[in-house]
Amino acid sequence: VIGGVWYVPLAWPAARQAVAAANDIFGIKDKYKGTSGTSIVKVFALTAGMSGMSEKALKITGIKYGKVYTHPANHAGYYPGASEMAMKLLFDENSGKVLGVQVIGGEGVDKRIDVIAMAIKHGLTVKDLADSDLAYAPPYGSAKDPVNLVGMVAVNHMSGISPLIHWGDLDGKEFLLDVRTRMEFAKGSVSGAVNIPVDDIRENLSAIPKDRNIAVFCQVGIRGHAALRILKQHGYNVKNLSGGYLTYIDHKGSTS
């Protein structure tokens, strides 16, 4: 992904190096071009996979990177059997080049890992993910596939259309705005958050301070994006919390 020497003890690079060595022995020009470390594992009913650089590895390199979290369904939600997956995409903040991906969920994890692994191998960007023309029918995906969706979120962040902030980056001074429904809020939220459902924001702007940074969130990020666009049009300094409340639940042990 970024060059250099890394320890990646996986079957694919071992097999590919063996092919290159055998070809060279018999006079066939070949070269091992490295690996992006694509891997996958089944843990009971869950599947976890990754390709490219992890955040820990990127911190070691000093590369300026961005990240987004999404929680899409593996296929259309109205088709029976849809299940949620959690995706984390890492990309170059300047060029948008895809640097790494991690996904965990049920069915469909392998498909998304393999698609993004090809994007990483060929140096594609988050815009390329957003524009990818992928197979769609309700039993297999959505019109905006999870691969498209995670690319779109990254593009919106880079362009400033919908800037993101992460739970671990909050300094405690932000005005936390929960835009989920009253019922969702009653089942649990973030300490100190104020609940104004996204459909009621325009009628309740006076309850949102203009002299503070606003951090808005919903369950996974989609309604947060809509709320952010409304608030930006009214002059608020606002960011969407990446991955929404579900990502907060995953990380609340390390956030305040």
Side-chain angles (χ1 to χ4, degrees):
V1 179
I2 61 167
V5 178
W6 299 80
Y7 180 58
V8 186
L10 293 170
W12 186 88
R16 187 66 193 85
Q17 288 174 70
V19 170
N23 280 342
D24 281 346
I25 288 170
F26 287 96
I28 302 170
K29 283 190 175 183
D30 201 351
K31 183 180 181 180
Y32 175 64
K33 297 179 181 179
T35 178
S36 57
T38 307
S39 57
I40 196 164
V41 62
K42 183 174 177 61
V43 184
F44 300 104
L46 293 175
T47 298
M50 69 168 290
S51 185
M53 304 291 285
S54 67
E55 188 170 2
K56 184 184 292 185
L58 286 170
K59 286 179 178 178
I60 293 172
T61 66
I63 290 175
K64 185 181 179 183
Y65 66 91
K67 62 181 177 181
V68 298
Y69 296 93
T70 59
H71 299 272
N74 65 314
H75 60 61
Y78 55 82
Y79 189 87
S83 62
E84 188 177 88
M85 61 180 71
M87 299 182 71
K88 178 180 181 180
L89 186 76
L90 299 152
F91 54 93
D92 186 297
E93 279 266 271
N94 297 314
S95 67
K97 178 183 175 183
V98 181
L99 300 175
V101 64
Q102 298 161 26
V103 186
I104 186 168
E107 293 183 2
V109 169
D110 54 338
K111 172 182 174 180
R112 276 72 191 199
I113 287 293
D114 285 346
V115 170
I116 299 178
M118 287 296 290
I120 292 171
K121 179 176 176 61
H122 294 285
L124 301 187
T125 68
V126 293
K127 184 67 165 63
D128 294 314
L129 296 185
D131 292 342
S132 294
D133 190 357
L134 304 173
Y136 161 60
Y140 304 106
S142 299
K144 286 188 287 191
D145 189 86
V147 171
N148 300 133
L149 191 61
V150 76
M152 290 173 178
V153 174
V155 168
N156 284 344
H157 168 68
M158 290 184 67
S159 67
I161 290 174
S162 188
L164 299 171
I165 190 170
H166 299 282
W167 289 102
D169 296 332
L170 295 177
D171 61 14
K173 299 177 182 178
E174 297 89 355
F175 181 84
L176 282 176
L177 180 59
D178 185 337
V179 298
R180 297 175 301 157
T181 64
R182 305 288 186 197
M183 188 178 296
E184 288 174 297
F185 182 76
K187 291 179 179 178
S189 187
V190 183
S191 177
V194 173
N195 179 222
I196 304 176
V198 62
D199 292 341
D200 301 334
I201 283 182
R202 289 184 176 90
E203 292 75 30
N204 291 276
L205 290 172
S206 61
I208 305 171
K210 274 202 168 180
D211 58 350
R212 295 176 64 184
N213 293 330
I214 311 298
V216 64
F217 68 95
C218 61
Q219 191 72 0
V220 297
I222 297 173
R223 285 172 290 175
H225 165 75
L228 177 146
R229 294 305 308 158
I230 294 169
L231 292 172
K232 269 190 167 293
Q233 289 162 10
H234 285 85
Y236 287 86
N237 185 11
V238 55
K239 292 184 178 180
N240 191 7
L241 278 155
S242 183
Y245 185 62
L246 281 186
T247 297
Y248 169 77
I249 292 297
D250 289 340
H251 293 278
K252 67 179 181 179
S254 59
T255 58
S256 56

